[in-house]
Amino acid sequence: MKYFWTHKDNIPEGLGYGQFTWKHILWLIVTALGVAAFILCYIPADPHTKEIMCKAISAALLIIDVIKMILIGFSDVKISEYLPLELCSFAAYFITADAFFHVGPPVREMLLTLFLPAALMALLFPTTSTLPAVNFYTIHQFVYHGLIAAYIFALFFAREIPLAYRGIWGSILRIIILASVIYAIDTVFDKNFMFLRDTYGNPMLEAIRKKTGDGIAYTGGLVCFCIVMIHVFFVLFKLIQIIFLR
């Protein structure tokens, strides 16, 4: 517990749980069980209970992110490097909009085809792998992205996300606009929000960089990868919907 509150920028080498080690896999199993439990509770619930459950996840996402930012603020870590401007941070904002303001099918389709893949990638390729398995930021990583996955999967399996191919083009337009804004912020302030300028050693992103090269070519490759993944997940969930959720 010595390093429970220690940020990854201050952790000694050799203490990380690593990627796809037994500790990482154990975290994935625990997260998957939590997601499954939420889905099983959500599907048979009445509309009022469902609304409470959705709002609870939204509130939890915002609260644990605030706690994380407060901890970073009280540490010697440069807080401007860790502002909540990542793709999964925006997933939490869209979930809040959906849970509290019922913004409609376009946002739910975007949650399923864009933000769910991002959350799953964050679980499979966590940025906290250099930290101990029992560390606040490690726990935040799996709880935060697990909550995002639980919310979206629950809506999908409860047949509450209508999927239409024309709808994914709205998702693509929104991610292009969002990426353009964040890229401008990254460029002006020399940051790397949404991994738009650097891979930070993420294996998935490294594979993209090796194909495209560095700089704007990498950024364009990342956006194209997101567009491809939106289509892949649309087809995957459409097939599940047709076969199992009629």
Side-chain angles (χ1 to χ4, degrees):
M1 298 297 288
K2 178 180 178 181
Y3 296 104
F4 183 82
W5 301 107
T6 307
H7 191 272
K8 65 181 181 179
D9 289 2
N10 298 325
I11 205 79
E13 291 186 9
L15 296 179
Y17 60 84
Q19 289 187 352
F20 299 112
T21 61
W22 72 268
K23 292 179 180 179
H24 181 199
I25 292 172
L26 182 59
W27 262 118
L28 290 175
I29 292 172
V30 171
T31 304
L33 290 174
V35 170
F38 182 84
I39 295 170
L40 292 175
C41 291
Y42 182 88
I43 291 175
D46 61 82
H48 178 66
T49 302
K50 285 182 176 180
E51 185 170 359
I52 292 174
M53 294 173 73
C54 287
K55 288 180 178 178
I57 280 194
S58 167
L61 286 168
L62 298 179
I63 289 169
I64 62 176
D65 228 15
V66 168
I67 293 172
K68 184 186 80 168
M69 295 308 297
I70 290 172
L71 288 174
I72 292 175
F74 279 101
S75 69
D76 59 356
V77 177
K78 195 174 182 181
I79 194 170
S80 62
E81 300 292 332
Y82 297 98
L83 296 176
L85 295 175
E86 304 296 347
L87 193 57
C88 287
S89 300
F90 287 100
Y93 307 149
F94 276 84
I95 284 173
T96 299
D98 181 67
F100 283 90
F101 304 108
H102 308 290
V103 287
V107 165
R108 291 193 167 187
E109 288 180 349
M110 190 173 182
L111 288 174
L112 185 67
T113 57
L114 173 63
F115 292 122
L116 179 60
L120 296 179
M121 288 299 105
L123 292 169
L124 292 173
F125 303 102
T127 57
T128 57
S129 60
T130 57
L131 287 167
V134 182
N135 171 279
F136 170 80
Y137 297 98
T138 299
I139 295 170
H140 178 281
Q141 173 104 40
F142 288 95
V143 171
Y144 190 84
H145 295 96
L147 287 172
I148 292 173
Y151 186 97
I152 300 169
F153 272 128
L155 293 182
F156 174 72
F157 285 111
R159 300 176 176 85
E160 295 175 13
I161 301 181
L163 275 176
Y165 183 68
R166 65 180 180 276
I168 71 170
W169 290 103
S171 299
I172 291 171
L173 177 61
R174 293 183 194 98
I175 188 56
I176 290 174
I177 293 172
L178 180 59
S180 299
V181 172
I182 298 300
Y183 185 79
I185 292 173
D186 287 347
T187 303
V188 172
F189 297 101
D190 193 25
K191 303 298 180 186
N192 188 42
F193 299 119
M194 288 177 57
F195 298 95
L196 288 173
R197 301 177 69 204
D198 196 337
T199 67
Y200 282 167
N202 183 289
M204 180 64 71
L205 302 181
E206 274 295 315
I208 296 172
R209 188 189 64 79
K210 287 178 181 178
K211 292 290 185 181
T212 62
D214 295 314
I216 192 67
Y218 159 73
T219 305
L222 179 58
V223 172
C224 289
F225 175 76
C226 289
I227 293 172
V228 170
M229 290 307 297
I230 287 173
H231 281 83
V232 169
F233 271 76
F234 172 82
V235 172
L236 174 63
F237 284 113
K238 194 65 179 178
L239 287 174
I240 294 173
Q241 194 178 66
I242 292 171
I243 297 171
F244 300 105
L245 300 178
R246 289 182 175 178

